Every structure is written in C-alpha cells, then in structure tokens.
C-alpha cells in the first residue's frame, strides 16, 4: 500500500449494501453504519473515485440500497464470485483489473466473510486493499478481531472512513480538499 491513499489510484467497492443487513446489527449501530457508508459514497463522488457494488444476490431496485444509487452504472455492479473462483477470472476481478487503479477500498457487509474473502483475493492479485472498519460491520463480536488480524497478516490495511477522506483530501485540488474535509464535520 502506498504511504497515502490517492484518489487517482483508488476504487471504492461497496459489498452487498442491502438494508436487510441492518437488521442483524445492534439498533444503536444501524444509523452510524448507514451514515459511514453514505459518507464514503459522497467522498468518492467528490474525489472522482470510481464506485462499484458487489452482491451475493440480486440487488433489487436501486432505491432499496443503503448507499444512494446516483453515480452507479450497470457495468459497476457485480455478483460476488464464489470463493472457489480465482479473483482474476471473476467479472468483478476482471473489471477492477482492467482499470488503471491499484488501490481498492472496501466497505459493506460483512467483515468476517464477504469483506475478508474479497480483500484477500484482490490482495493476492497484487492490488493494494484497505477496509473501512467503521463502515464494514461484523457478524459476531468474537470474530471481529481475528478477521482484522487475518487481514493485517495478509497486508490488507484497516482504516476508517475519516482516514480515507483525509488521505484523499491530502492529494486533492484545493476545492476538492475543502469539500472532502467538510465531510469530517459530520463525524
């Protein structure tokens, strides 16, 4: 991973951002998780970072996604590959590999499975991967730290949404920097 995450080298990937996942979270965590996902989405738009979605099932109508559907195109929505499929052979892996960007930022559902397997597969292909820990909920409290440890052991970088925004702002033009930094006032 480069010293700073640069927007010109980044792709933001939302993993399975369906609202029914919120039901599995503690009620006090639902609004903050939704807010972090929306903030990551807005930051990517401001920094001109391509946004992709991947799901384990059908997405349904765009209006039901947690993140706003603005900015998504059909080519940027993907089925998550089964873990037995090589990353580079999956439509998601091919779409990301054909871009000129080498940093993948993940957020969404769930840390222990979808995020970990996606991060490890992309990392094994030489892609620098970061996971937004405050926008990637875990299933069970006892599995959170082992998942983080596994990601770090493989070279995946855990970070927060605020850290991503600050790093993207550091590399941006003055106007973009101001707009990105204004998102931090919401934290």
């Amino acid at each position: 991973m480069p010293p700073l995450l640069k927007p010109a080298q980044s792709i933001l990937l939302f993993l399975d951002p369906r609202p029914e996942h919120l039901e599995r979270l503690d009620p006090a965590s639902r609004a903050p998780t939704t807010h972090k996902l929306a903030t990551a989405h807005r930051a990517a738009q401001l920094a001109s970072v391509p946004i992709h979605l991947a799901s384990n099932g059908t997405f349904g109508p765009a209006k039901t996604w947690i993140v706003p559907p603005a900015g998504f195109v059909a080519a940027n929505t993907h089925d998550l590959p089964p873990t037995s499929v090589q990353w580079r052979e999956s439509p998601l892996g091919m779409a990301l590999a054909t871009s000129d960007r080498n940093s993948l930022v993940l957020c969404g559902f769930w840390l222990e499975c979808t995020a970990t397997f996606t991060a490890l597969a992309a990392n094994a292909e030489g892609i620098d991967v970061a996971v937004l820990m405050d926008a990637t909920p875990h299933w069970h409290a006892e599995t959170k730290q082992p998942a983080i440890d596994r990601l770090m052991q493989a070279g995946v970088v855990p970070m927060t949404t605020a850290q991503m925004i600050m790093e993207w702002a550091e590399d941006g033009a003055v106007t973009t920097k101001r707009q990105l930094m204004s998102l931090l006032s919401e934290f």
Side-chain angles (χ1 to χ4, degrees):
M1 178 78 54
L4 284 177
L5 193 60
K6 296 180 183 272
Q9 297 172 349
S10 299
I11 293 171
L12 180 62
L13 176 61
F14 286 93
L15 298 168
D16 217 9
R18 293 178 289 160
E20 57 263 28
H21 290 311
L22 293 172
E23 298 299 318
R24 291 203 59 183
L25 297 178
D26 177 303
S29 299
R30 293 174 187 164
T33 299
T34 301
H35 176 71
K36 294 293 194 297
L37 290 167
T39 302
H41 181 266
R42 181 71 184 129
Q45 288 178 314
L46 290 171
S48 300
V49 170
I51 302 167
H52 288 254
L53 278 93
S55 176
N56 281 321
T58 58
F59 282 108
K63 65 184 177 187
T64 65
W65 301 344
I66 294 172
V67 292
F72 291 107
V73 294
N76 290 5
T77 59
H78 313 277
D79 289 325
L80 283 168
T83 56
S84 61
V85 173
Q86 293 292 333
W87 171 263
R88 68 179 159 264
E89 296 169 4
S90 72
L92 173 59
M94 288 188 284
L96 298 179
T98 58
S99 77
D100 59 348
R101 296 164 184 261
N102 62 351
S103 294
L104 179 63
V105 181
L106 302 175
C107 59
F109 299 89
W110 296 97
L111 174 64
E112 301 92 329
C113 51
T114 310
T116 296
F117 289 119
T118 302
L120 294 175
N123 190 47
E125 293 296 323
I127 298 169
D128 294 325
V129 182
V131 177
L132 300 181
M133 301 309 295
D134 58 345
T136 308
H138 56 278
W139 263 346
H140 304 288
E142 66 271 7
T143 59
K144 179 181 179 182
Q145 192 58 51
I148 294 168
D149 293 344
R150 176 66 181 109
L151 291 169
M152 290 179 64
Q153 176 271 333
V156 174
V157 177
M159 65 187 329
T160 64
T161 304
Q163 183 65 40
M164 176 193 72
I165 291 168
M166 288 184 276
E167 291 189 24
W168 283 352
E170 187 65 27
D171 193 58
V174 174
T175 304
T176 303
K177 185 175 191 165
R178 259 189 254 122
Q179 291 173 321
L180 284 168
M181 294 306 282
S182 73
L183 293 175
L184 297 177
S185 66
E186 300 172 13
F187 283 81

